[in-house]
Amino acid sequence: MSPLDTVDQYLDELAQQRRQSPHTVSNYGRDLRLLRALIAETSDLDTFATVRSHHIRRFVAQLHARGLGGRSLARALSAWRGFYRWLGLRGETVLNPVEGVRAPKSPKPLPKVLSPDEANRLLDVSPEDAVAMRDKAMFELFYSSGLRLAELATLDVACLEDVRNGEVRVLGKRNKLRLVPVGHQAQVAISTWAQRRAELAAPDEQALFVGMLGRRINPRVIEDRLQRRALAQEIGRA
């Protein structure tokens, strides 16, 4: 039986026998597909049963480095832990490699209002890879335009023409269309990110900003990246 079939059987049991909500089953499915992808990327692993605790800790470190925050990692670990318990009950594995592995703590919240100096420090980065370029573009646009995180996440690549003209249209609260200005630095950062976006984005994804799975980025991930950058720059520390 393939790993995919095993995951599908588990998700089916969650939905049909344990009566979990469709939202919960969907989240479990995403986290287990992520685990399967990590296993496939690891040369000394070929099945779920070959995973050990040191592999799980390495996966957590990799995901944290890619931008997943403490809450997202804790949710993934919970899904993986439950899946391995189920495999154990079926006799497909003896050990649960997720037991005892904990997610890193989430960083302290970013200050609600940054001083001009703090904002400059937050944005003063020289990105070298696609993820850093994405972050730079998001942060520049976030602080120059006054967009909400949720609005930032909803932007599609189709907005690039508007960005070149110094503006962007967003659908805000109560489905009201807003036209917001885009500063020069944000235009440059977004243009740079657009040139590298294909390195992260799934081929059919229309979102301007994507996460590590190549799909539209979650507002919580943007928040986590902002917090990590603020802590790195010692913004908001006493």
Side-chain angles (χ1 to χ4, degrees), residues 203-223:
D204 60 338
E205 180 56 59
Q206 296 302 308
L208 176 60
F209 299 117
V210 298
M212 57 173 296
L213 294 181
R215 296 300 180 183
R216 187 178 303 276
I217 198 166
N218 189 293
R220 287 187 177 180
V221 175
I222 303 176
E223 184 179 17

Side-chain angles (χ1 to χ4, degrees), residues 137-201:
M138 291 192 305
F139 300 167
E140 288 280 3
L141 183 56
F142 180 63
Y143 280 103
S144 72
S145 66
L147 289 175
R148 302 180 182 92
L149 291 180
E151 293 172 339
L152 194 64
T154 62
L155 294 176
D156 290 336
V157 290
C159 78
L160 287 173
E161 185 61 36
D162 287 338
V163 170
R164 295 187 190 101
N165 294 324
E167 60 187 25
V168 67
R169 294 175 175 82
V170 295
L171 196 63
K173 292 183 177 179
R174 301 184 182 89
N175 290 326
K176 289 185 177 180
L177 191 65
R178 291 198 300 138
L179 188 64
V180 297
V182 178
H184 176 69
Q185 292 298 326
Q187 291 180 52
V188 172
I190 292 170
S191 176
T192 302
W193 154 244
Q195 296 175 33
R196 300 286 295 273
R197 176 182 171 277
E199 295 179 24
L200 296 181

